[in-house]
Amino acid sequence: MNKPKIAILRWESGHVPQGLLQLETLPGNSTNPASYPFPVKLVEVKGANTETVIVHPSQKLLADMIDISRRLVEEDGIQAIATSCGFNAIFQKALADAVNVPVFTSSLLQIPFVQALVGQNRAVGVITANGTLLTREHLHNCGVTDDMNVFVLGLENAKEWSKIFDNPDAPFDMEKVTEEILSVARRSIQEHPEIGAIVLECTDLPPFARRIRQELDIPVFDFNSMIGHMAMSWSILNLYE
């Protein structure tokens, strides 16, 4: 088998909420190797968890991610670095500046591309794990400017989904969490009919992208569309070789 050329920095084992562990079993999830038609290297980062990535982004964690990324490039021949949580967008600039291979911490990097596709008269909808914690700094670090038409809709008020933050040891009712995700997607169009495409911030949402496309009948971009684009750019898929 070919050696992995993309490394995905993931949360530390034992620090992942029970509901997210259930979602990891679904094809399309960022930490499920079955999601990719090419090998990837999943790398645990000690101390990476909800608190240090999403709630209170940690500079120590960033320093550790930089050290790990440099070693992956120098010792393992990794050609691109990704992360398993879209809120790592807060670290995008610093991490990309620190290593000499492409870094894509978050599917939010696709927002400028998607805005150009739909035009300035239409908008980009962003569905995120928690809209109250997704800041302008996250967006700015991914090249999103204030003149772009971006609407952020979060899952923080979805009772089942919020177990990630409120009750991380509790499992998900998968039917309930699926309906919550689809409900937020429907609401995005109801509240903002000018939305021409959706970007899913959370790397646990790609398994639901097909259902969202069917519900809204518009393009949906996610972590997998981003990592696929990167794989194509490096010919990791070997489609034309």
Side-chain angles (χ1 to χ4, degrees), residues 48-115:
N49 52 49
T50 305
E51 178 67 20
T52 59
V53 175
I54 299 178
V55 181
H56 296 108
S58 165
Q59 289 301 303
K60 180 184 182 305
L61 177 64
L62 170 61
D64 290 344
M65 291 169 67
I66 290 172
D67 288 342
I68 291 169
S69 297
R70 285 173 173 167
R71 288 200 303 271
L72 287 167
V73 173
E74 294 169 4
E75 298 174 10
D76 295 347
I78 291 297
Q79 294 180 337
I81 302 290
T83 76
S84 69
C85 176
F87 273 82
N88 282 302
I90 201 78
F91 303 134
Q92 172 65 35
K93 284 187 176 180
L95 190 53
D97 287 346
V99 297
N100 61 357
V101 299
V103 172
F104 46 115
T105 58
S106 176
S107 60
L108 299 176
L109 287 162
Q110 297 169 108
I111 293 176
F113 170 68
V114 176
Q115 179 72 84

Side-chain angles (χ1 to χ4, degrees), residues 85-90 92 104-115 124-130 133-145 148 150-153 198-203 221-223 225-226:
C85 176
F87 273 82
N88 282 302
I90 201 78
Q92 172 65 35
F104 46 115
T105 58
S106 176
S107 60
L108 299 176
L109 287 162
Q110 297 169 108
I111 293 176
F113 170 68
V114 176
Q115 179 72 84
V124 180
V126 175
I127 298 179
T128 177
N130 192 307
L133 297 174
L134 188 66
T135 68
R136 285 190 176 185
E137 187 176 0
H138 288 90
L139 298 176
H140 289 169
N141 282 347
C142 288
V144 181
T145 56
M148 293 180 184
V150 179
F151 293 105
V152 175
L153 291 98
I198 294 284
V199 174
L200 304 179
E201 168 275 317
C202 181
T203 57
F221 298 81
D222 59 16
F223 180 83
S225 61
M226 179 178 65

Side-chain angles (χ1 to χ4, degrees), residues 11-12 14-24 49-50 161 163-165 167-172 204:
W11 288 359
E12 182 181 1
H15 291 242
V16 183
Q18 183 62 36
L20 298 190
L21 288 175
Q22 289 174 260
L23 294 180
E24 284 186 4
N49 52 49
T50 305
W161 177 268
K163 289 178 179 178
I164 297 170
F165 303 96
N167 191 7
D169 294 329
F172 276 162
D204 294 295

Side-chain angles (χ1 to χ4, degrees), residues 40 55 80 94 134 141 143 164 166 176 194 217 224-225:
V40 297
V55 181
L134 188 66
N141 282 347
I164 297 170
D166 304 333
K176 287 182 179 179
E194 65 270 40
D217 194 28
N224 288 333
S225 61

Side-chain angles (χ1 to χ4, degrees), residues 186-223:
R186 296 185 198 107
R187 181 164 57 86
S188 69
I189 298 299
Q190 291 169 356
E191 295 181 359
H192 307 288
E194 65 270 40
I195 288 176
I198 294 284
V199 174
L200 304 179
E201 168 275 317
C202 181
T203 57
D204 294 295
L205 294 181
F208 306 94
R210 183 178 180 183
R211 290 284 303 277
I212 294 172
R213 292 185 188 102
Q214 291 172 339
E215 290 271 345
L216 306 185
D217 194 28
I218 60 174
V220 177
F221 298 81
D222 59 16
F223 180 83

